[in-house]
Amino acid sequence: MGFIFHPPQVMVLKENSSSEGYVPVAQTFSDPDLAGPGDLVIQDRDAGSLCIETWNILLVKPQALGLLVDRRDQPVVDAVVAMHKDPDYSPEFAPLLVPIRPGGPRALFRRYEHETAAFFNANRAIPPVFHFMDKDALMVELENKAPGIHWDDTPGNLWELLAVAELPDDYYPMAAADEDLQYYHANLYIYEKGEIREIRTVRAEAECVQTTAGIAFSIFLPELPVPWEGVYGYSYLKLGSGEIIPPLEIKVAMEYRSLSAAFKADDCLAGIIQTALFCHKR
C-alpha cells in the first residue's frame, strides 16, 4: 500500500542557502502529546503548542518552500540548532519530555515523521549539521584532535576537508593487495555533542569500472564500526598532480555498508579514490 504525503510545515533554520543551493529545515507538528526527547515544544501565539523536531532536519531547495506562516525569535532557532548538535541540550524555556516507549504511539509517529522527511529531503548526501559548522573552525578542531593531520591544499568545503585529510601514519594499518579489488582506508569522523569526538580509519574495498561518462567506483565497508544510522559518506578522486575532482554522482547505502561514486576521468588509473565517513551520533 502506498502513502499520500502532505507537505509538512517546517521551520527554516538558515535564511541563505548553501553553496549547493539547499537550506536546512526542521519538521514541526502541533500535538504536544506526541512530543518526546529531541522535540522542542514552544507555545504558539495563535494555535497552542508548536513542536519542532530537532532530530528530524532535512535539506530543501528554497524554491520548494511554500508560503511563510510565521516568524520565530532567534533564540528559538538557536535552540533548535543546539539541540540538533547535542541531543542532551535543553534550553531553559523548554519543557522536559517523557522518554518514548518502544512500540508506543509516539514511536510510531516518529517513524512516520522520518519517512516524511525521507520523501521530501532533496539531498541525502549532506549531513544537516554541516549547515551549522564552520570549515575553518573544524580544521583547527581536527588539528588539535589529530596532531600531524594535514592537507595538500586548502579544502574548499567540509566534505573536501574530511575526505582528503592526511592523518598521521599510525591511523592507517597496512592493506593487502588484490587483483580485482582496491583496498584503502576511509577517514571516519564521529561527531557527538557538538564536536568531533573520535577520528578513525575504516577499511574500504573499491572496484572501478569504465562507464560512458568516465569511471565509477563501487565501495564496500566490510567492518563499519558504528551503527549505520546517521552515517554519511562522500568520495573524491585525487589525481596524480594533487588535484581533486568531485563525483558526478554519489549514492550512499550505509544500511548495506556501501556507496558508489562516478567521476569524469579517462580510466580507473587516473587517480586515487578518497572517502570520508561522517557519523552524527545521537
Side-chain angles (χ1 to χ4, degrees):
M1 181 182 294
F3 289 92
I4 297 175
F5 289 100
H6 296 285
Q9 181 173 303
V10 298
M11 171 178 280
V12 179
L13 301 176
K14 287 189 73 174
E15 186 173 353
N16 298 320
S17 61
S18 66
S19 58
E20 296 87 3
Y22 300 92
V23 293
V25 301
Q27 284 189 203
T28 71
F29 62 99
S30 58
D31 187 352
D33 290 338
L34 293 171
D39 293 319
L40 175 61
V41 180
I42 60 175
Q43 194 65 29
D44 193 7
R45 286 183 283 269
D46 301 314
S49 296
L50 177 67
C51 308
I52 308 164
E53 301 171 358
T54 73
W55 49 272
N56 200 18
I57 292 178
L58 56 151
L59 308 177
V60 299
K61 293 283 189 178
Q63 57 267 30
L65 296 172
L67 296 176
L68 177 66
V69 176
D70 198 359
R71 291 186 180 273
R72 295 293 163 179
D73 296 333
Q74 189 61 41
V76 174
V77 178
D78 293 341
V80 173
V81 173
M83 291 176 68
H84 180 68
K85 289 182 174 182
D86 180 2
D88 292 334
Y89 172 78
S90 180
E92 293 182 356
F93 60 82
L96 296 178
L97 302 172
V98 177
I100 294 176
R101 179 172 57 85
R106 291 186 299 158
L108 181 62
F109 172 74
R110 188 160 288 201
R111 192 187 83 190
Y112 287 153
E113 291 293 89
H114 266 302
E115 292 175 356
T116 301
F119 182 83
F120 287 100
N121 194 8
N123 190 326
R124 301 181 189 180
I126 302 176
V129 76
F130 272 17
H131 287 266
F132 317 122
M133 298 170 67
D134 177 76
K135 177 173 65 70
D136 294 335
L138 180 58
M139 179 180 286
V140 173
E141 183 180 347
L142 294 177
E143 289 172 338
N144 293 332
K145 194 75 177 178
I149 189 174
H150 65 276
W151 296 262
D152 291 340
D153 295 298
T154 302
N157 57 54
L158 287 172
W159 267 135
E160 189 177 324
L161 174 75
L162 300 175
V164 305
E166 295 290 340
L167 294 171
D169 291 342
D170 56 356
Y171 278 81
Y172 298 103
M174 296 295 292
D178 187 276
E179 292 182 357
D180 299 320
L181 294 176
Q182 175 184 339
Y183 293 93
Y184 70 107
H185 287 86
N187 294 346
L188 169 64
Y189 304 85
I190 299 174
Y191 183 88
E192 187 176 12
K193 298 184 183 301
E195 64 180 36
I196 300 292
R197 289 286 180 152
E198 188 178 359
I199 304 172
R200 302 176 64 172
T201 57
V202 177
R203 178 183 170 93
E205 301 172 355
E207 186 172 9
C208 180
V209 296
Q210 201 86 27
T211 67
T212 55
I215 60 174
F217 285 90
S218 295
I219 302 165
F220 179 64
L221 309 161
E223 297 179 357
L224 189 63
V226 291
W228 66 266
E229 296 92 344
V231 177
Y232 298 78
Y234 206 84
S235 290
Y236 285 89
L237 190 67
K238 185 174 183 178
L239 306 181
S241 62
E243 177 189 1
I244 61 169
I245 57 174
L248 296 171
E249 181 183 36
I250 189 153
K251 296 180 180 179
V252 179
M254 281 301 159
E255 62 270 36
Y256 303 109
R257 305 194 305 277
S258 66
L259 63 155
S260 62
F263 298 92
K264 184 174 178 59
D266 294 334
D267 56 59
C268 290
L269 300 177
I272 299 171
I273 188 73
Q274 293 191 287
T275 299
L277 303 173
F278 183 87
C279 174
H280 188 178
K281 296 188 73 173
R282 302 192 61 82

